[in-house]
Every structure is written in structure tokens, then in C-alpha cells.
Amino acid sequence: MVAGRPWTYINNVSMPTMTVYSPTGKNTGAAVVVFPGGGYQILAIDLEGTEVCDWLNSRGITCVLLKYRVPGEGKLPKSGAYPSSSEALEDAQRAIGLTRFHAAEWHIDPHKIGVLGFSAGGHLVVATSVHSNKRIYAEVDAADKQSCRPDFAIALYPGHLSVKENTLEVNPDIARRINSRTPPTFLLQNENDDTDSIWDSLSYEAALIKAKVPVEFHSYAEGGHAFGLRRSKYPATGWPILVETWLHTIGVLAD
């Protein structure tokens, strides 16, 4: 139960899918590819997926919900964070390229395509941000000739970013790839998050600052983990307003 309501997860995902949610009213031209969390074992498909798309649509933003592969530890190749498993990152890169390839058809500005993810999906946001100059899989078709670099990145209570707590040492796969082309990033995490540590966001923020990449980081003392958009008494659940303000600040949304 989250905010008094149950949530739904899916597992054993061996075939990725993309579902496009287009705004029915005002269309800002911006688009966001959404990565639900779930520890690379499951996908919180409504709490951190469809509910997010409903919110984005209400703000005139096209949402592309990615059901990326999480086949489970019992399958080969196993689920997990890149580089131990490549499937999720392959799916994320492909989804960004396909979104850009279909930009005209889906009424999207190809220069305003971002990514948003939670927990493990937050790590996938960062992975796509730093693995953006080259795909980790062989090209399939014309869509793979499009850039897979997100124009902006939103990582909410991300994991797999720090090497250990109480240091600012970043996961080596991430650290060695951060550069000036890493997209502007929004981070949010709670200090009492007992699933993914506050040090995940702190270490990545510090690395982005060092690389002179614009980053906005919000941290709170309490609020835990895995709350999606559902409001509670904790201020961290007001993050959608913060994200909207930030999207205006970086020029994705017009005033």
C-alpha cells in the first residue's frame, strides 16, 4: 500500500514494449520516456508508470512508457544494472531513438525528449545520460541512426550510482563517462531512504558539478522510498511541482 492504495507490479518481462500517451489538450512538444522502478526485478507499472504518464499528459507533455526487460535472476541473461546486464539499457536506448524517429508523427520536438525514472529506473536514467554517444547493441533499423541522448534527465530516488555510503565515489561505469554533453539533470532523494542511499544522488550530483553539467538536487530528511506521485505528509511527494518549475528553467517548457 502506498498512500492508502495498492500498487501493481509486473515481472518476468522478456519482451520490451513502448506505450505512447499523447496529451489530449495543449501539446508543449516535449516528451518524456518513463522508466518504472523495481530493482531490475519487477516494474512498478502503475505507481511509477501509468500514473506518471497521466500527470505528464495533463501538463501537455507526451509520455512514452517503457516496459523494459526484467526477465529475472533465474534467466540468462539475468536482470540487473548495466554492465552486469545489458538488456534494460539496450531497451532504453532503443526507446529514445524510436521516440526521436517518430517525433513528427507523434507531434514531438526532437530536441525536447527527456527521460524520467524511479529507483532502478533512476539508474537507467543516468545510464542513458552517460551512454549517449554510442548504442551498446548493433543497429536494427533507421531509428537507430537517431541520437539516443536524452535532452534532459529526471532521476527520483535512484540506486546503483554510488560505490559506498559516506563517500562521493561514483559507480565506475558512470564516473568515467560523465562529460560536458551529459544532459541537465534533476535529482530527488530522502535521507532516510533505506533502499537506495542518499549517497547515490549526492555522489552523482558532485560528479555533474565537477563536469560543469547543470544539476538540481532536492533532498529531504524523511519520506522513504518508492512513493511515485502519491501524496503524503512528506514534502518530497511534492516533487512534480519542482520538476515543472525546473523544466521551465531549462527551457523545455515555455513560460
Side-chain angles (χ1 to χ4, degrees), residues 191-214:
E191 293 169 17
N192 72 338
D193 187 330
D194 59 5
T195 300
D196 291 314
S197 167
I198 187 71
W199 293 97
D200 286 300
S201 287
L202 284 169
S203 60
Y204 188 54
E205 180 203 27
L208 291 176
I209 291 172
K210 185 176 181 180
K212 295 182 169 33
V213 175

Side-chain angles (χ1 to χ4, degrees), residues 9-243:
Y9 73 83
I10 55 177
N11 58 0
N12 298 321
V13 179
S14 58
M15 182 175 292
T17 66
M18 292 167 57
T19 305
V20 180
Y21 293 75
S22 299
T24 56
K26 177 184 177 182
N27 187 340
T28 64
V32 174
V33 183
V34 173
F35 309 139
Y40 285 111
Q41 300 299 312
I42 63 172
L43 299 178
I45 202 67
D46 58 353
L47 177 68
E48 298 171 347
T50 56
E51 294 175 12
V52 182
C53 291
D54 289 342
W55 162 64
L56 289 168
N57 281 175
S58 74
R59 298 301 184 264
I61 300 170
T62 298
C63 177
V64 179
L65 178 57
L66 177 64
K67 186 176 74 174
Y68 56 90
R69 283 173 288 175
V70 284
E73 288 297 323
K75 305 288 182 67
L76 289 175
K78 294 181 178 181
S79 298
Y82 189 83
S84 64
S85 175
S86 65
E87 293 186 318
L89 181 54
E90 290 176 8
D91 297 343
Q93 288 183 325
R94 173 79 171 156
I96 296 167
L98 280 166
T99 301
R100 196 161 271 126
F101 182 74
H102 289 285
E105 177 187 350
W106 296 346
H107 308 291
I108 292 168
D109 183 336
H111 304 295
K112 292 184 177 181
I113 297 173
V115 288
L116 183 156
F118 304 81
S119 193
H123 169 264
L124 196 51
V125 161
V126 174
T128 59
S129 296
V130 299
H131 288 274
S132 61
N133 63 332
K134 183 180 179 181
R135 283 168 169 74
I136 63 169
Y137 60 91
E139 286 187 7
V140 176
D141 53 29
D144 287 333
K145 297 187 183 302
Q146 297 285 328
S147 170
C148 63
R149 176 188 178 274
D151 295 305
F152 56 93
I154 303 163
L156 303 156
Y157 42 88
H160 308 283
L161 300 184
S162 67
V163 172
K164 60 183 177 180
E165 293 191 5
N166 301 312
T167 78
L168 294 178
E169 190 177 354
V170 184
N171 171 341
D173 175 67
I174 304 294
R176 64 174 170 263
R177 291 182 170 86
I178 297 172
N179 57 47
S180 60
R181 278 189 45 77
T182 303
T185 300
F186 179 100
L187 298 166
L188 180 138
Q189 203 146 22
N190 292 316
E191 293 169 17
N192 72 338
D193 187 330
D194 59 5
T195 300
D196 291 314
S197 167
I198 187 71
W199 293 97
D200 286 300
S201 287
L202 284 169
S203 60
Y204 188 54
E205 180 203 27
L208 291 176
I209 291 172
K210 185 176 181 180
K212 295 182 169 33
V213 175
V215 56
E216 182 166 320
F217 174 38
H218 296 266
S219 68
Y220 297 91
E222 296 184 75
H225 186 79
F227 41 84
L229 264 81
R230 299 187 186 180
R231 297 301 298 263
S232 72
K233 65 180 181 180
Y234 299 111
T237 58
W239 66 262
I241 295 173
L242 299 174
V243 166

Side-chain angles (χ1 to χ4, degrees), residues 237-249:
T237 58
W239 66 262
I241 295 173
L242 299 174
V243 166
E244 287 180 49
T245 301
W246 177 72
L247 290 175
H248 281 89
T249 301

